[in-house]
Amino acid sequence: MLVCALWQARHAQAQAELPPLQLRLSPALEEKVSPQQRDVAPTFISSQRLSAVTDTEVRLEGAVEFRRSDLVIRAEQVDYDQGRDHLRARGDVRVNQTGNVFEGPALDLRVDAFEGFFDQARYQLLSNGAHGTADRIDFVDESRAVVHNATFTTCKREPGPDWMPAWLLRAATLRLDTEEETGQGEDVSVTFQDVQVLKLPSVSFPLSSQRKTGMLSPLFSADNISGTSITTPFYWNIATNRDLTVYPTVMSQRGVNVGGDFRYLESNYQGRLRLDFMPQDRLRGQDRSGYSFQHTAAAADTGYGRLGLNVNLNGVSDDNYWRDFPRATPSLTQRLLANDVGLNWARGPYSATLRTLKWQTLQDPLAPIVPPYDRMPQVVGRYLQPDRGGFDIALEADYTDFQADAARTGQPNAQRGVLKGQISYPMLGAAGFIVPKVSLNAASYTFDTALTAGQTQASRTVPTYSLDTGLLFERDASYFGSRYRQTLEPRLFYVYTPFVAQNYLPNYDSGALDFNFASIYTENAFVGNDRIADSNLLTGGVSTRFLDGDSGAELLRLGIAQRLRFADQRITLPNGMVSPKGVSDILLGAGLTLDPRWYLDSTVQYNQKTGQSERSTVSARYNPSNYRVLNVAYRFQRERSELVDMGWQWPLNDLWGDRGQDLGRGQGQGPGRWYTVGRLNYSMRDSKLVDSIIGFEYDAGCWLGRVVFERLQTGLVTSTRRIMFQLELVGFSRVGIDPLQTLRRNVPRYQLLREQTDPPSRFSNYD
């Protein structure tokens, strides 16, 4: 074989004048080659025979290989004119251009400009694995090509002359843009299993997960409230940091709804705006609308501190919106809609917040709720200085104007000022800690109307003293032939807060803390500033952990804690009960991680007087591999609820011994496989399913099928039900009723069967 020496195809003189090459370290080969790099890249050629035709033209014959930068051309014969940079190739021509492959009998090409044509060609795209045939491919430049009389599919080519793909797109003209990652077809038809399912004069579609402007696949839905719905979304890729999606929807039983979703992202601010409007809903006989707007911004520190802005605005037209549109934007389907604007400032240990918060409460005659208080406005100033001579110091001043419908709340509106301060002296060591702390909470009220006793003003000041101590013991242990590190962590927490009368005061923002391992070691039994619990109690607890001796990962965690109250707690919430002295319920907790596949967590609140559990939560997760996850949770609260919650995604083929292949996240587990997915929430107290989602997915390799049944409880006696079916032609489009948002929201750790997590590398298809 005759191997030609290194040969500069163009700009020989310019290249000779380049500075000497400087070697540099690089952690990876570069994915993209710049035009400047391509201009100065050398050309390598090899063949069995070489002959000169003219002074600038050579002929290469026999196993020819032409290589320059990210371009490789192979053929039986190549005529190359160096002066015009023109190449003609004949006989089993194969072109690999940045991972995209084109094959055919004859090629004419201007190499640097990548302009030319390919007759009777076959092609395969790197971005999505799509391939097809064409009468002719015209290369416009290195990123754009026009394919004439084209076919297009992502189905893998099987051996045999009679093979036909499961789905196939045919187009009179197909324009491919690998820079924008888009395809544009004219006079297009799509067949699925030899049945034509689509015929369009023009269609645009993405070649990867990159965003692109255009019509998205239509979405269909059918439920027992809105009837049959058809949504035809339009996506506008305004810029790399801005986009807009418009959602016109026709509902057979309601009318037309128009929605829009605008997103933006800048270096120092970002946000999202969602609007929906339905003129004259036929079911309700009125216009329906909703909006949701979130915005966050931060200004650079100019020497006077940092400024930040947080905006969260939500609103709907009527009280029935959450029930009639249960699958709209989540922030619009709750019964309490927040309209919250906050301006923040911080400099060193100082910070301040100016906030306005107004609620829209959606009432249900069968289940009315008391509206929370608006804060119009709230002003907070803080000083936080850790380790000031060994002391941690915190001060906070808060002024809030509480406003609500007094007829519904049953108490007057008020303006409240709160001053809080605390000082502690943490003594921390490797073997344990001691933290003494003194706190003070002072509040002053001015009421819009007088209280029952006639006061229009009130105030109270409550001090709190606490001591938190703990020890940490460690030892090496060996069980069943494995090494472990075991810890023993006892903890004692004492708090004393004298009784200061507060039960006569209205309650604006206080609520009871949940009784758990986090709250049992806190000074106050309430959150908020209207109730400071009188306390004289000691909390004791101990936990132990088993850590892997090699990795340090936690394998087992056990804990127990209990309170001893030396006097009755007399401060309560409105209509609350006094907490008597004596011992509290016992908290028991355990967490077990046998290996990364298994996880178990449980908490039990045990009443030793009755010998019964008051509350229990047990949750388990089994996640042995991608697309195999099972979540089960049991939640019990005596006299209130008893629920079992189960969610899963699992290959059905496992039932008959076909475990497939773990191809990685976003790649499925091989074609020809069925999956089941769903979530069930069952009330054992009521002996009925509350919410349920059950679905099946089929992965055929180049197409996916999904069918999902959903039932949602929207009231005490009302529910919505719908069935969703979707056909996904991988690498082209999704058609049908989209269940993916429902599955992502309800099934923990749900994975898409086809999802491009990382763009493919050109070196994955390197010649």
Side-chain angles (χ1 to χ4, degrees):
M1 176 185 288
L2 175 62
V3 180
C4 296
L6 181 63
W7 159 31
Q8 173 61 44
R10 298 181 60 193
H11 312 297
Q13 183 176 358
Q15 181 176 350
E17 296 174 357
L18 289 175
L21 294 176
Q22 299 293 325
L23 298 178
R24 62 183 177 86
L25 295 175
S26 175
L29 295 173
E30 296 182 9
E31 283 291 339
K32 291 187 177 295
V33 179
S34 68
Q36 294 78 13
Q37 291 173 308
R38 193 175 288 110
D39 284 344
V40 299
T43 300
F44 297 86
I45 64 171
S46 66
S47 67
Q48 294 177 343
R49 294 177 298 278
L50 180 148
S51 59
V53 179
T54 66
D55 291 341
T56 60
E57 185 176 356
V58 296
R59 171 166 293 178
L60 307 168
E61 297 177 297
V64 181
E65 179 179 308
F66 180 101
R67 183 182 297 271
R68 180 187 297 173
S69 186
D70 52 0
L71 171 67
V72 178
I73 301 174
R74 302 177 190 274
E76 287 301 313
Q77 177 182 312
V78 169
D79 292 322
Y80 180 67
D81 188 332
Q82 180 179 355
R84 296 188 301 132
D85 194 34
H86 179 259
L87 180 146
R88 296 189 307 274
R90 301 292 183 269
D92 294 330
V93 183
R94 175 184 170 91
V95 177
N96 187 325
Q97 191 247 346
T98 62
N100 298 311
V101 175
F102 306 89
E103 296 176 306
L107 168 69
D108 274 55
L109 186 69
R110 290 183 57 219
V111 180
D112 271 359
F114 207 75
E115 295 178 3
F117 62 91
F118 220 140
D119 286 328
Q120 300 301 316
R122 301 179 302 277
Y123 67 91
Q124 179 175 339
L125 303 181
L126 174 67
S127 57
N128 60 358
H131 60 94
T133 61
D135 289 347
R136 177 183 169 109
I137 299 179
D138 290 326
F139 299 110
V140 180
D141 55 33
E142 62 186 20
S143 301
R144 282 166 282 276
V146 180
V147 187
H148 301 278
N149 195 16
T151 63
F152 179 97
T153 186
T154 57
C155 296
K156 184 178 179 181
R157 182 71 167 87
E158 301 293 341
D162 298 329
W163 174 80
M164 281 293 293
W167 70 269
L168 183 67
L169 179 148
R170 300 181 186 273
T173 303
L174 183 61
R175 303 178 186 276
L176 303 176
D177 189 330
T178 57
E179 182 178 7
E180 297 293 333
E181 297 291 356
T182 61
Q184 176 73 43
E186 298 175 4
D187 191 12
V188 172
S189 65
V190 178
T191 58
F192 177 70
Q193 302 294 5
D194 291 332
V195 177
Q196 182 171 297
V197 296
L198 193 64
K199 178 72 173 178
L200 293 171
S202 178
V203 65
S204 178
F205 56 94
L207 298 177
S208 68
S209 57
Q210 296 279 342
R211 303 179 304 165
K212 68 174 294 290
T213 298
M215 298 297 299
L216 303 180
S217 300
L219 305 176
F220 304 90
S221 65
D223 60 45
N224 60 318
I225 295 180
S226 300
T228 302
S229 302
I230 302 176
T231 304
T232 55
F234 176 80
Y235 179 78
W236 182 15
N237 187 23
I238 302 172
T240 56
N241 60 335
R242 290 186 180 88
D243 62 10
L244 171 66
T245 308
V246 181
Y247 300 93
T249 303
V250 178
M251 303 180 186
S252 62
Q253 297 185 29
R254 292 188 177 277
V256 178
N257 181 83
V258 179
D261 190 350
F262 174 62
R263 302 184 299 177
Y264 55 91
L265 175 64
E266 298 288 349
S267 58
N268 55 356
Y269 67 89
Q270 60 182 330
R272 184 171 189 170
L273 172 64
R274 173 69 190 250
L275 299 172
D276 283 276
F277 178 69
M278 174 181 286
Q280 198 59 29
D281 180 359
R282 290 197 295 267
L283 284 183
R284 297 292 180 181
Q286 66 181 86
D287 294 346
R288 316 294 296 279
S289 62
Y291 68 86
S292 177
F293 176 53
Q294 291 79 40
H295 176 86
T296 59
D301 191 347
T302 59
Y304 297 96
R306 300 183 305 277
L307 282 175
L309 176 66
N310 295 284
V311 179
N312 179 27
L313 305 178
N314 303 276
V316 296
S317 57
D318 55 89
D319 287 341
N320 291 309
Y321 199 93
W322 69 280
R323 179 183 293 107
D324 292 348
F325 303 98
R327 300 171 188 88
T329 303
S331 59
L332 298 182
T333 57
Q334 306 168 21
R335 295 182 62 188
L336 293 175
L337 306 182
N339 290 272
D340 191 357
V341 179
L343 181 64
N344 307 301
W345 170 85
R347 184 184 182 189
Y350 302 95
S351 63
T353 299
L354 172 61
R355 180 189 186 193
T356 62
L357 172 62
K358 188 172 183 63
W359 296 92
Q360 180 182 4
T361 306
L362 308 185
Q363 294 292 353
D364 184 345
L366 298 178
I369 56 178
V370 177
Y373 277 89
D374 301 333
R375 302 175 185 233
M376 301 295 287
Q378 180 181 18
V379 183
V380 182
R382 303 178 185 87
Y383 173 81
L384 180 61
Q385 184 63 66
D387 196 17
R388 185 79 171 184
F391 290 91
D392 289 350
I393 303 172
L395 298 172
E396 180 177 308
D398 181 321
Y399 170 82
T400 306
D401 188 348
F402 292 101
Q403 299 293 328
D405 184 354
R408 286 189 176 273
T409 61
Q411 57 186 26
N413 297 329
Q415 297 79 49
R416 187 192 68 190
V418 177
L419 180 63
K420 296 190 294 185
Q422 67 178 39
I423 183 170
S424 63
Y425 190 81
M427 291 171 279
L428 311 177
F433 62 91
I434 301 176
V435 183
K437 182 192 295 183
V438 178
S439 306
L440 186 72
N441 187 301
S444 176
Y445 297 82
T446 300
F447 305 108
D448 291 353
T449 58
L451 301 181
T452 304
Q455 306 107 304
T456 58
Q457 292 184 332
S459 62
R460 59 108 181 103
T461 300
V462 183
T464 297
Y465 312 92
S466 67
L467 179 66
D468 194 4
T469 64
L471 295 172
L472 174 61
F473 301 99
E474 292 184 349
R475 74 183 184 101
D476 292 327
S478 178
Y479 300 101
F480 308 107
S482 299
R483 296 189 308 108
Y484 301 95
R485 174 68 59 87
Q486 183 184 3
T487 70
L488 185 66
E489 304 167 49
R491 184 177 180 182
L492 287 175
F493 178 76
Y494 176 75
V495 58
Y496 173 72
T497 303
F499 172 81
V500 176
Q502 303 163 57
N503 289 346
Y504 71 96
L505 295 172
N507 179 33
Y508 299 103
D509 66 358
S510 284
L513 279 173
D514 191 27
F515 188 62
N516 53 41
F517 277 98
S519 65
I520 200 171
Y521 294 104
T522 56
E523 288 91 350
N524 191 12
F526 308 111
V527 294
N529 290 307
D530 292 312
R531 296 291 186 273
I532 308 299
D534 57 311
S535 301
N536 185 8
L537 58 86
L538 177 67
T539 301
V542 62
S543 62
T544 182
R545 294 181 296 155
F546 287 83
L547 311 177
D548 186 272
D550 297 321
S551 67
E554 183 181 279
L555 304 178
L556 176 65
R557 181 189 73 256
L558 301 172
I560 183 172
Q562 188 175 28
R563 279 175 171 170
L564 172 61
R565 195 176 295 276
F566 299 107
D568 293 348
Q569 178 192 308
R570 293 181 287 167
I571 301 299
T572 66
L573 293 172
N575 302 318
M577 298 179 60
V578 171
S579 298
K581 68 178 181 179
V583 294
S584 69
D585 294 344
I586 300 175
L587 279 180
L588 301 167
L592 176 64
T593 306
L594 294 176
D595 57 41
R597 301 172 299 174
W598 285 93
Y599 177 74
L600 175 68
D601 186 70
S602 63
T603 303
V604 176
Q605 180 182 333
Y606 178 75
N607 188 326
Q608 55 191 349
K609 297 177 182 177
T610 63
Q612 294 179 318
S613 167
E614 295 297 320
R615 287 199 314 171
S616 302
T617 301
V618 181
S619 61
R621 181 180 69 242
Y622 179 54
N623 189 189
S625 65
N626 289 312
Y627 305 102
R628 290 184 175 91
V629 61
L630 175 63
N631 302 277
V632 180
Y634 171 77
R635 300 179 180 91
F636 168 78
Q637 193 165 0
R638 186 165 300 280
E639 306 299 334
R640 295 188 64 180
S641 65
E642 187 175 9
L643 297 172
V644 175
D645 191 6
M646 181 170 65
W648 71 90
Q649 182 183 25
W650 206 272
L652 282 174
N653 295 55
D654 286 4
L655 298 178
W656 49 86
D658 176 17
R659 293 190 58 82
Q661 311 171 60
D662 190 353
L663 301 177
R665 186 177 182 85
Q667 299 298 318
Q669 295 199 328
R673 299 184 61 77
W674 285 91
Y675 299 79
T676 177
V677 61
R679 184 171 184 176
L680 300 177
N681 194 313
Y682 183 78
S683 172
M684 300 181 68
R685 183 183 180 90
D686 301 321
S687 299
K688 70 174 185 179
L689 281 171
V690 181
D691 295 328
S692 57
I693 297 169
I694 299 177
F696 299 92
E697 298 179 290
Y698 179 71
D699 182 356
C702 64
W703 65 272
L704 307 171
R706 299 183 179 94
V707 58
V708 177
F709 304 89
E710 179 186 35
R711 179 188 179 277
L712 295 180
Q713 195 79 25
T714 56
L716 294 177
V717 295
T718 60
S719 64
T720 63
R721 300 173 297 277
R722 66 171 177 167
I723 182 173
M724 295 166 279
F725 173 79
Q726 185 182 64
L727 173 65
E728 179 177 347
L729 306 180
V730 176
F732 177 60
S733 182
R734 296 185 180 122
V735 180
I737 305 172
D738 187 5
L740 295 178
Q741 183 179 1
T742 298
L743 296 177
R744 284 171 170 153
R745 187 169 57 238
N746 290 280
V747 181
R749 297 201 173 196
Y750 171 76
Q751 292 179 263
L752 286 175
L753 297 180
R754 289 291 183 274
E755 182 180 26
Q756 191 177 93
T757 55
D758 295 303
S761 168
R762 67 184 177 94
F763 299 105
S764 64
N765 193 23
Y766 182 76
D767 278 336

